[in-house]
């Protein structure tokens, strides 16, 4: 007898668009691992944080209206796991202390400016166009991640604590035992590097098909 | 007179703390005259917007469904 299964899917089978859709969960996990890896810079530690966050989030998945809501919630949990891991590392002193090498780095950026401290013509920042258009393009996010990955570890740690983990600068100073002015210098360094990277790798090329 | 180099520091710090009026007045005057620093200011805003969106896991193409076979 010929089965009619293809015309009558079983009610409990996962369908695209639901929270249990395997393709959605696999993609979500990959996004989480990349996010954790960017900040922890340690594949095993990133994997652990993601497993814990996913388990915690999915045990209460019935509360979510859709995939986007679940994803936001899972990422919020993941951020807490990352903070826990960073704090543990700080206590165990397994991360290299931040060293004050401000002078060298400032000299790197000095080449962007003329002797009067103004932008050199070829290094003057360009207009980046409509942010919404850019942020809606998947390829942009690949470039964005690549630029974040290129940040030196100590700069990345401070920048991501500020921007991803919602620490304020006094909070970062306290966690990492650095001064406020050093914190501001590091955040400036991160933003200067990121904007240069994005300008070179995304905004100076013409077509970006989605 | 502020230099553009100094302005990049102020615009970065403005993302992290409120600037004092002693900082804001020369900064505003500089931005009136300097298109490069104005673009830099908008780039700082863009970076904040991008990192916020990324950290919520919403860094997707708006149309991220795989193409039909």
């Amino acid at each position: 007898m010929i089965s009619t299964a293809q015309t009558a899917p079983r009610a409990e089978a996962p369908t695209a668009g639901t929270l249990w859709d395997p393709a959605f969960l696999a993609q979500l996990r990959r996004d989480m691992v990349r996010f954790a890896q960017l900040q922890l810079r340690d594949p095993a530690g990133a994997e652990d944080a993601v497993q814990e966050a996913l388990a915690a989030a999915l045990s209460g998945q019935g509360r979510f209206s859709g995939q986007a809501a679940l994803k936001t919630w899972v990422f919020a949990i993941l951020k807490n796991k990352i903070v826990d891991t960073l704090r543990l590392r700080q206590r165990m002193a397994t991360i290299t202390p931040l060293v004050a090498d401000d002078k060298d780095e400032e000299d790197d950026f000095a080449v962007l400016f003329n002797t009067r401290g103004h932008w050199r013509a070829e290094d003057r920042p360009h207009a980046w166009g409509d942010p919404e258009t850019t942020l809606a393009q998947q390829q942009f996010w690949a470039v964005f991640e690549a630029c974040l990955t290129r940040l030196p570890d100590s700069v990345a740690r401070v920048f991501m604590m500020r921007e991803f983990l919602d620490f304020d600068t006094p909070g970062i100073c306290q966690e990492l035992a650095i001064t406020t002015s050093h914190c501001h210098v590091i955040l400036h360094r991160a933003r200067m590097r990121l904007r240069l990277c994005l300008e070179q790798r995304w905004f100076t090329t013409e077509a970006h098909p989605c | 007179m502020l230099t553009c180099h100094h302005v990049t520091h102020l615009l970065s710090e403005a993302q992290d703390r409120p600037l004092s009026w002693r900082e804001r007045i020369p900064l505003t005057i500089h931005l009136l005259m300097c298109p490069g620093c104005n673009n830099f200011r908008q780039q700082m805003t863009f970076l904040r917007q991008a990192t916020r969106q990324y950290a919520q896991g919403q860094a997707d193409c708006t149309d991220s469904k795989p193409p039909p076979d």
Side-chain angles (χ1 to χ4, degrees):
Chain A
M1 205 176 150
I2 294 166
S3 164
T4 56
Q6 68 260 49
T7 56
R10 285 165 38 199
E12 68 269 29
T15 51
T18 70
L19 300 185
W20 294 112
D21 173 16
F24 165 69
L25 288 178
Q27 183 62 47
L28 175 62
R29 202 189 137 276
R30 280 197 295 276
D31 290 347
M32 292 169 75
V33 169
R34 286 205 315 279
F35 182 74
Q37 172 69 25
L38 268 173
Q39 295 172 79
L40 297 174
R41 308 216 160 187
D42 157 35
E47 197 65 54
D48 287 348
V50 169
Q51 299 291 347
E52 290 177 31
L54 261 183
L58 289 177
S59 61
Q61 66 102 20
R63 295 196 303 272
F64 299 100
S65 53
Q67 292 182 345
L70 173 65
K71 199 168 182 186
T72 301
W73 175 242
V74 172
F75 266 72
I77 295 175
L78 179 59
K79 285 191 262 183
N80 286 332
K81 300 286 176 196
I82 292 170
V83 172
D84 290 346
T85 308
L86 289 174
R87 284 192 174 140
L88 189 66
R89 283 189 193 173
Q90 188 74 14
R91 273 206 300 280
M92 314 260 289
T94 54
I95 44 181
T96 43
L98 292 167
V99 286
D101 54 353
D102 311 347
K103 196 75 188 80
D104 296 346
E105 192 82 22
E106 283 305 300
D107 290 344
D108 280 354
F109 295 129
V111 302
L112 302 173
F113 304 94
N114 64 25
T115 49
R116 290 167 48 240
H118 296 297
W119 296 105
R120 290 181 190 280
E122 63 273 25
D123 293 312
R124 192 174 297 141
H126 297 100
W128 283 358
D130 175 42
E132 300 302 331
T133 310
T134 305
L135 297 175
Q137 295 181 74
Q138 205 163 28
Q139 285 184 344
F140 167 77
W141 294 108
V143 173
F144 185 67
E145 280 183 354
C147 289
L148 286 170
T149 306
R150 284 159 60 108
L151 291 177
D153 285 357
S154 59
V155 173
R157 198 189 320 153
V158 174
F159 180 72
M160 294 184 198
M161 282 176 81
R162 175 78 187 105
E163 301 291 343
F164 291 162
L165 305 177
D166 302 325
F167 280 87
D168 56 13
T169 39
I172 296 171
C173 297
Q174 196 184 346
E175 293 281 335
L176 299 178
I178 58 176
T179 63
T180 308
S181 67
H182 191 199
C183 192
H184 283 138
V185 166
I186 294 172
L187 288 169
H188 173 260
R189 184 178 300 172
R191 293 176 178 129
M192 290 291 273
R193 282 175 173 264
L194 262 184
R195 69 154 286 274
L196 262 181
C197 184
L198 290 175
E199 188 136 296
Q200 286 163 359
R201 296 176 67 157
W202 180 261
F203 289 102
T204 51
T205 47
E206 278 297 309
H208 308 290
C210 190
Chain B
M1 273 294 281
L2 285 176
T3 66
C4 297
H5 196 169
H6 191 179
V7 166
T8 65
H9 279 275
L10 285 177
L11 289 172
S12 172
E13 290 188 29
Q15 301 279 314
D16 307 314
R17 65 173 178 88
L19 299 182
S20 69
W21 63 269
R22 281 173 184 277
E23 293 167 318
R24 276 204 311 271
I25 291 170
L27 177 63
T28 306
I29 292 167
H30 183 100
L31 289 173
L32 283 174
M33 303 181 300
C34 182
C37 286
N38 249 303
N39 287 336
F40 184 91
R41 180 176 59 83
Q42 284 170 22
Q43 292 176 1
M44 292 298 102
T45 308
F46 174 86
L47 282 183
R48 173 58 54 81
Q49 195 179 348
T51 51
R52 286 284 180 267
Q53 195 167 324
Y54 187 79
Q56 287 173 9
Q58 306 304 330
D60 279 336
C61 212
T62 45
D63 180 22
S64 61
K65 297 273 185 293
D69 294 324

